[in-house]
Amino acid sequence: MKRFFVLPIIAAGYFINAQSIGNSPYAAFGIGDVKYDNTVDINSMGGVSTAYVWDFNNSFNFSNPAANKNLGLTSFKVEGTNENNFFKSDYNDANSTKHSTYLSNISLAFPLSPKVKFGLGYQPYSSKKYEVLTEEKNENGDITASSFRGEGGLNMIQAAFSYQISPEFALGARTNFYFGNLYDINEVTASNAELINGYETRNKIKTFNFTLGTAYQKALEKDKKLTFGATYSFGNTGQMESTYKNSTYFYAPGKIKTNESIIEESASEDKNLIPMEVSVGAGLGKDGKWFAGTQVDYKKGETVQYLGQPFSYQDSYKISAGGWFIPNFNNFRSYFSRVTYRYGAYYEKGNLQLNGTDINQFAITGGMHFPFDSNSASRMSGIDLGLELGKRGTLENNLISQNFINLRIGINFADKWFNKRLYD
């Protein structure tokens, strides 16, 4: 027991020290690239989670807090993500590559009673780290250069409860607290100008919202189960404090801003940050053998401030399909018969629309769970691995095509930590 307990701590230390979340130029808008993807197992199934009730007793579903009827052990998870992005643009035939590794999830969940389950977790929700340089030569030979850069991100702490009303029907609720700072700046200079014109936006965010969920699972013949689920996330109820500044200046040696003259400055508060979301899903499985499910997610568009101007997110939707199978979890002579194999895919009509073009995304996913224990089918502590291959964006209308390969690893330690002993 002790030797496996130190593994999550080692992994957490590594990913915290390596915390650097890279982004595409599409992260420039709004809150940046949304990173929230629940856990390695759910991401490996294409994001299927709304009607996903894990057959065993060692994992908590935060996406749908109602889908946790089988949790019987304390589950402690630490997970990390390695992102590899490959960008291409028809503008000057440009290509670039960006890699990043970061802590993507840490959570603790346990049953409070046979009917009530509780989970507490941390995840990065979105990140903004980009830099784009452009140059344009005018008819008179003068060159205008523009620099777009940004940094920061949002983190999320979540607490979730589930209550099993009957053996078939459950309700759940999750509260989500978001916090962080986002920063964008656009600097424009020309070969015939002495000063730089800078447009700067800073956002300080402390906000929260709530997610309600429901799950219904009906037992069928021959150990099969049919599951339906739905979730609804309210828009945020906190606030975002924004400051905007339009000024001219130049840089002295050492990148020190001097002779700044403010042209325009303003401050505002906004609540349109985390939009309303709805998800519905269905799945079919056989107890301890396999599961296949699908779901549709809808996210309402919002209008936010970007460099002093309103920027509108579009309504978006995501279609996901995936599942898992275990050859034979009771076969202790063959280790790979007890490995869980996961698969999935998704298509997302994105909420960004640039130059009249939707920025969409699709991917295929897969993963495996390698159990530690060789003498207990009920505990299944182990390592989760996940792989995601996909594409975002397009080369049309002077936009950028982004191909990505994301690797995920997680450690789940599950045991009866808080249960009282009946016998010595």
Side-chain angles (χ1 to χ4, degrees), residues 84-351:
N84 303 275
N85 293 299
F86 308 92
F87 306 107
K88 183 178 181 180
S89 172
D90 283 344
Y91 181 82
N92 290 337
D93 223 10
N95 292 273
S96 65
T97 303
K98 180 173 282 190
H99 309 279
S100 60
T101 302
Y102 57 94
L103 176 72
S104 54
N105 174 57
I106 183 168
S107 65
L108 177 68
F110 49 88
L112 297 177
S113 73
K115 291 186 176 183
V116 182
K117 316 297 169 62
F118 172 76
L120 182 68
Y122 157 85
Q123 290 190 352
Y125 183 80
S126 73
S127 66
K128 182 189 288 283
K129 188 175 179 64
Y130 67 93
E131 185 169 3
V132 180
L133 304 174
T134 64
E135 288 186 358
E136 183 177 351
K137 192 171 184 178
N138 302 328
E139 294 180 356
N140 58 6
D142 294 329
I143 297 176
T144 300
S146 296
S147 168
F148 297 85
R149 67 180 188 272
E151 60 185 31
L154 292 183
N155 298 304
M156 181 176 71
I157 295 175
Q158 51 192 348
F161 285 90
S162 67
Y163 179 70
Q164 198 69 33
I165 296 176
S166 70
E168 297 177 339
F169 182 66
L171 295 175
R174 189 182 78 232
T175 179
N176 316 298
F177 175 65
Y178 308 85
F179 61 97
N181 296 280
L182 301 171
Y183 167 82
D184 294 282
I185 185 168
N186 172 212
E187 293 182 324
V188 181
T189 186
S191 56
N192 61 349
E194 295 182 358
L195 296 174
I196 297 171
N197 194 185
Y199 307 86
E200 179 182 304
T201 301
R202 293 179 180 270
N203 299 309
K204 183 179 181 181
I205 298 152
K206 289 183 179 180
T207 188
F208 61 93
N209 68 354
F210 299 94
T211 299
L212 300 180
T214 182
Y216 175 83
Q217 189 172 76
K218 174 69 175 179
L220 306 176
E221 295 179 353
K222 299 180 180 180
D223 294 328
K224 291 183 179 179
K225 296 180 289 188
L226 181 64
T227 308
F228 297 98
T231 63
Y232 180 89
S233 295
F234 298 87
N236 55 277
T237 56
Q239 67 182 21
M240 175 176 69
E241 299 176 359
S242 300
T243 58
Y244 169 71
K245 182 169 64 174
N246 177 5
S247 63
T248 59
Y249 48 86
F250 67 86
Y251 286 111
K255 201 65 174 178
I256 300 174
K257 187 185 294 185
T258 59
N259 285 14
E260 183 174 21
S261 177
I262 297 176
I263 300 172
E264 180 186 0
E265 193 171 26
S266 63
S268 63
E269 293 185 358
D270 200 350
K271 292 185 178 181
N272 294 330
L273 183 66
I274 310 297
M276 178 271 288
E277 294 185 52
V278 176
S279 178
V280 293
L284 178 67
K286 186 172 183 178
D287 194 24
K289 294 289 188 177
W290 56 268
F291 167 82
T294 185
Q295 73 184 53
V296 177
D297 304 322
Y298 167 80
K299 183 184 295 185
K300 181 178 172 56
E302 297 280 8
T303 299
V304 298
Q305 293 295 311
Y306 175 66
L307 296 175
Q309 300 293 326
F311 180 84
S312 295
Y313 281 113
Q314 308 298 308
D315 291 0
S316 65
Y317 64 85
K318 179 180 178 182
I319 301 173
S320 307
W324 60 265
F325 67 92
I326 303 175
N328 187 351
F329 73 89
N330 279 321
N331 185 353
F332 294 101
R333 294 183 178 181
S334 173
Y335 178 81
F336 286 97
S337 292
R338 294 183 288 110
V339 170
T340 304
Y341 300 89
R342 301 186 177 105
Y343 58 91
Y346 66 83
Y347 171 81
E348 183 174 8
K349 187 271 182 185
N351 55 10

